[in-house]
Amino acid sequence: MIAQSGDGAAGRERDGTAVTRRSVIGGVVGAGLLEVLAFGSPFQGTATADAAPDAPLFTADAPRVYTRAQWRARSPKRPGRVLGRAPDHIVVHHTDTANSNDLTVAHAFGLSRYIQNFHMDKRGWDDCGQHLTISRGGFVMEGRNRSLASVRDGDLVVGAQVLHNNEHTIGIENEGTYMKKAVPGRLWSSLTEVCVWLCRAYDLDPAEAIVGHRDYNSTSCPGDVLYSRLPTLRRAVAARLEGSSGGGPKTKPKAPPKPNDSGDGQGGNPYDYYHGDDGDDWPGLLNLNW
């Protein structure tokens, strides 16, 4: 387990040395929004909720996922591997970054680039590890390449988000640290709707399919507070599914293995899962607990 505390790793000290903040102000997104470039930013945002745009939050009935092109993702080292089958579990994570008050889409896009840079440059992975990312403002972004197309086709692109279990799970990163702090309403609403969307797409039973990262691996992710709300999330998603014209799910997935189960035997592949803290100056994402 990688240690966590407070509102995230940004600004905390390691071995007596303060974490370096490397924020860079970039170009303009949309109508006059200054964009914080993601590479190296700890996302210790100071903007208020009033800065959030009026765009509607994600809904399962009209899913709005911001594409990799929209948040200006880098090209992956190689295309994602698509399996011709659906995942059987939806894994909920938290990023263990600062609980930013910046709820803008510019911040959300910067977060996605920051995660991708970290995964590719510091971990040596092919691309982002997660399939989807939800910002504290409720914006939903595509993560690993081919994720959005795979959901639409009922398939799974193999991510790098759960040790030994990447070939049957789809992972959602939720911005922030939820060991002690509450999950913001905008993020929670989008997380609920994303899970409805995925359960519909893959014909999953939320009572069995929605799990936390710690259900598979020895980690504190997705935080004590968010993990404690997963039963509520399952019930909320089930209620939405029962109220839809398509009815409830038909497929009941297998139960997750015990933590650190050997699973699919991918433990020797560095592209399959988060390796842990390497002690450098990448604030926040050093403790993602993926």
Side-chain angles (χ1 to χ4, degrees):
M1 180 182 295
I2 302 172
Q4 300 188 46
S5 63
D7 290 341
R12 65 176 68 149
E13 295 184 352
R14 295 187 179 88
D15 300 324
T17 303
V19 173
T20 302
R21 299 186 76 234
R22 297 183 293 169
S23 299
V24 181
I25 300 298
V28 176
V29 172
L33 289 176
L34 286 178
E35 178 177 17
V36 179
L37 292 180
F39 192 82
S41 168
F43 289 98
Q44 190 77 10
T46 56
T48 66
D50 293 336
D54 294 330
L57 295 178
F58 182 100
T59 65
D61 298 324
R64 182 177 185 181
V65 179
Y66 289 93
T67 66
R68 290 166 59 87
Q70 287 176 301
W71 59 262
R72 298 208 314 271
R74 296 161 56 183
S75 296
K77 295 178 182 177
R78 57 181 62 85
R81 181 164 58 97
V82 178
L83 306 179
R85 63 174 184 266
D88 56 25
H89 283 85
I90 300 166
V91 182
V92 177
H93 300 265
H94 71 173
T95 61
D96 194 24
T97 50
N99 289 328
S100 175
N101 292 321
D102 189 340
L103 308 183
T104 63
V105 69
H107 172 85
F109 287 3
L111 173 70
S112 287
R113 289 195 303 278
Y114 179 63
I115 292 174
Q116 185 187 39
N117 286 334
F118 176 77
H119 285 179
M120 294 181 69
D121 297 339
K122 306 305 290 184
R123 295 297 170 216
W125 296 353
D126 289 347
D127 194 10
C128 309
Q130 79 287 359
H131 299 85
L132 298 166
T133 304
I134 305 177
S135 73
R136 284 172 60 84
F139 296 102
V140 181
M141 284 76 65
E142 180 181 24
R144 175 151 293 213
N145 68 96
R146 297 185 171 182
S147 291
L148 186 53
S150 293
V151 174
R152 289 171 175 165
D153 293 340
D155 296 328
L156 173 68
V157 62
V158 179
Q161 40 97 34
V162 178
L163 173 61
H164 300 314
N165 290 279
N166 287 301
E167 293 198 355
H168 68 97
T169 63
I170 186 168
I172 304 171
E173 268 305 320
N174 297 280
E175 181 192 6
T177 299
Y178 300 109
M179 289 300 292
K180 297 181 180 179
K181 298 294 184 178
V183 181
R186 292 175 66 93
L187 189 157
W188 180 259
S189 295
S190 288
L191 175 59
T192 301
E193 290 294 308
V194 166
C195 288
V196 172
W197 174 56
L198 293 177
C199 284
R200 285 178 180 171
Y202 293 125
D203 205 17
L204 296 174
D205 180 355
E208 299 290 339
I210 299 173
V211 298
H213 185 190
R214 64 176 65 179
D215 289 320
Y216 285 109
N217 304 138
S218 294
T219 174
S220 57
C221 182
D224 291 347
V225 174
L226 180 51
Y227 186 76
S228 71
R229 293 193 68 184
L230 292 187
T232 301
L233 178 63
R234 296 180 188 111
R235 290 192 295 270
V237 173
R240 286 276 285 110
L241 291 171
E242 290 171 1
S244 66
S245 59
K250 305 177 183 63
T251 302
K252 182 175 181 180
K254 62 184 179 181
K258 295 180 180 179
N260 290 329
D261 188 349
S262 58
D264 56 20
Q266 298 180 25
N269 187 343
Y271 297 104
D272 287 329
Y273 61 93
Y274 181 70
H275 287 203
D277 193 340
D278 62 4
D280 61 16
D281 62 347
W282 282 69
L285 289 173
L286 289 175
N287 294 313
L288 272 172
N289 286 342
W290 289 4

